[in-house]
């Protein structure tokens, strides 16, 4: 009796042990499937906007900027304006005081004295010619020649006097016109930069020398973005494309523009081949722009609005040129490849033309383990 009871106890103990081990394996397998299923991340196809753009790097510059120079040598005597001041055409900017060398001044005085001596001799000769003409001893032609010489020497005398006066005082009046050494604004605009100070020597602008720049003046109403585009993108852009310009010194500000010029010749910058471009600013809003602002310009090549989009990392690009994505199957962990046709891409997000619809679920790519042998 005791032996039978003992056998039944061993049987039930063994049965409970088998059930416990079986339950543990079933629970472990179930949890493994659940963990594997939960570890697979999914992305939902959404509606978005894709913009293909080319980047241009450059600065804001005025369309018209003039460098002011003098045609008169001398020294800066008076500066009438300041940087940032608005001037109108004809307003005085700088007065240049003539600073002739002793040789130049002496030469001008001697030229005047020589002209006066020549004038006196010719006037005496004209007086004699008049007397001889009354006696019919000279022809009318000879008399007229002497008279022309006297008229010519009078003009040269006036020129010599004016040159000497200009060297000494810096201004003269010829008729009703005042000729002075005051340099005036050639256009309406703002003084961008003052390049000289009072007392600085001035080299004049001539056909064989550039001359000393005094200041720069520009019209700030019409501004341009001047920069460069990489050779990879220049073939995609065209005149008239819209542009969004971001100013480095003004975070969050976007200025509108359009491409107005694309250079036909490249240049090298930092070991890269780039093409100069100009962008006309069409809408600055209420933003005050200053010449020289560093800027980045996004040239909008194409734009797709309210289209199905997915992250480009989800796409498998096949060797035959097709593209596909993985979608969840009926079984847990099952991946089903679906062919898709892609549209515009900004290298992060891509447009889906066919194969998926908004709301569809796409699986993240499987992680790959690197095996080192």
């Amino acid at each position: 009796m005791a032996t039978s009871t003992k056998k039944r106890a061993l049987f039930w103990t063994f049965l409970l042990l088998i059930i416990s081990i079986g339950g543990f394996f079933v629970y472990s397998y179930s949890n493994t499937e659940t963990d594997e299923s939960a570890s697979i991340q999914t992305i939902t196809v959404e509606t978005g906007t894709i913009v293909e753009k080319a980047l241009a790097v450059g600065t804001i510059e005025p369309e018209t900027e003039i460098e002011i120079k003098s045609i008169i040598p001398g020294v800066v005597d008076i500066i009438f304006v300041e940087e940032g001041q608005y001037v109108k055409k004809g307003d005085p900017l700088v007065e240049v005081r003539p600073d002739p060398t002793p040789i130049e001044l002496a030469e001008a005085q001697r030229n005047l004295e020589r002209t006066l001596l020549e004038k006196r001799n010719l006037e005496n000769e004209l007086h004699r010619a008049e007397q001889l003409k009354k006696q019919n001893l000279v022809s009318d032609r000879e008399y007229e020649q002497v008279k022309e010489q006297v008229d010519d020497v009078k003009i040269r005398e006036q020129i010599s006097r004016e040159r000497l006066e200009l060297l000494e005082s810096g201004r003269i009046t010829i008729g009703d016109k005042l000729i002075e050494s005051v340099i005036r604004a050639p256009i309406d605009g703002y003084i961008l930069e003052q390049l000289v100070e009072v007392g600085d020597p001035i080299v004049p602008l001539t056909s064989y020398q550039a001359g000393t720049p005094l200041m720069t003046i520009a019209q700030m109403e019409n501004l341009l973005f001047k920069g460069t585009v990489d050779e990879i993108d220049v073939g995609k852009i065209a005149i008239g494309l819209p542009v969004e310009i971001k100013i480095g010194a003004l975070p969050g500000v976007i200025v509108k523009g359009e491409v107005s010029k694309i250079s036909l010749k490249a240049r090298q910058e930092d070991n890269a081949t780039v093409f100069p471009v100009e962008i006309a600013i069409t809408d600055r809003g209420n933003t005050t722009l200053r010449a020289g602002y560093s800027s980045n310009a996004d040239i909008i090549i194409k734009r797709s609005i309210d289209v199905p989009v997915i992250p480009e990392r989800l796409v498998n690009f096949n060797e035959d040129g097709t593209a596909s994505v993985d979608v969840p199957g009926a079984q847990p962990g099952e991946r089903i490849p679906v062919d898709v046709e892609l549209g515009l891409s900004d290298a992060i997000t891509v447009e889906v033309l066919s194969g998926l619809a908004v709301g569809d679920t796409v699986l993240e790519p499987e992680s790959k383990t690197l095996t080192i042998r």
Side-chain angles (χ1 to χ4, degrees), residues 46-241:
E46 299 178 345
T47 299
T49 298
I50 304 291
V51 179
E52 182 183 2
K53 53 192 177 183
L55 176 65
V57 179
T59 56
I60 302 297
E61 297 182 19
E63 182 178 8
T64 303
E65 182 175 347
I66 297 176
E67 199 171 53
I68 306 299
K69 296 183 179 181
S70 172
I71 59 173
I72 301 173
V75 173
V76 176
D77 193 33
I78 302 174
I79 298 177
F80 297 98
V81 294
E82 298 178 349
E83 289 185 358
Q85 181 177 335
Y86 182 80
V87 297
K88 292 184 173 295
K89 182 178 180 180
D91 286 350
L93 303 178
V94 178
E95 182 173 357
V96 177
R97 172 171 49 83
D99 187 26
T101 65
I103 293 179
E104 289 176 333
L105 193 58
E107 188 179 74
Q109 291 173 338
R110 295 297 178 265
N111 283 338
L112 178 58
E113 291 173 0
R114 189 167 53 234
T115 304
L116 290 174
L117 179 60
E118 184 179 356
K119 174 188 172 185
R120 186 165 59 249
N121 293 334
L122 287 172
E123 285 178 339
N124 292 334
E125 186 175 345
L126 178 61
H127 180 70
R128 289 193 298 269
E130 288 176 348
Q131 298 299 322
L132 293 173
K133 185 175 182 298
K134 291 178 181 179
Q135 301 174 16
N136 295 323
L137 296 176
V138 296
S139 65
D140 292 341
R141 182 178 179 183
E142 290 174 331
Y143 172 77
E144 292 297 331
Q145 286 177 344
V146 176
K147 188 177 180 181
E148 288 177 4
Q149 291 175 350
V150 173
D151 293 338
D152 178 68
V153 79
K154 287 180 179 179
I155 294 174
R156 287 190 283 118
E157 176 198 1
Q158 184 65 26
I159 293 174
S160 297
R161 288 186 184 279
E162 291 168 351
R163 184 171 186 271
L164 180 60
E165 185 180 352
L166 192 58
L167 287 174
E168 290 177 337
S169 65
R171 62 185 66 195
I172 59 172
T173 302
I174 300 178
D176 296 331
K177 185 176 181 181
L178 175 64
I179 298 177
E180 57 184 350
S181 55
V182 174
I183 300 167
R184 300 182 179 274
I187 60 171
D188 296 348
Y190 289 89
I191 304 299
L192 295 186
E193 188 176 10
Q194 178 183 316
L195 302 172
V196 293
E197 299 292 341
V198 174
D200 287 348
I202 301 299
V203 176
L205 173 65
T206 65
S207 58
Y208 57 87
Q209 61 186 12
T212 302
L214 307 178
M215 57 185 61
T216 56
I217 183 172
Q219 295 175 331
M220 298 298 289
E221 290 79 12
N222 300 321
L223 296 176
L224 297 175
F225 169 94
K226 292 185 179 182
T228 57
V229 174
D230 192 272
E231 62 176 335
I232 296 175
D233 295 324
V234 73
K236 304 175 185 177
I237 65 177
I239 302 296
L241 285 180

Side-chain angles (χ1 to χ4, degrees), residues 3 19 24 26 63 65 74 91 94 105 125 150-151 173 195 262 281 292 317 335 337 354 361 364:
T3 302
I19 292 172
F24 173 76
V26 170
E63 182 178 8
E65 182 175 347
D91 286 350
V94 178
L105 193 58
E125 186 175 345
V150 173
D151 293 338
T173 302
L195 302 172
I262 305 172
I281 295 177
F317 294 96
R335 308 176 71 93
S354 64
T361 300
E364 288 277 5

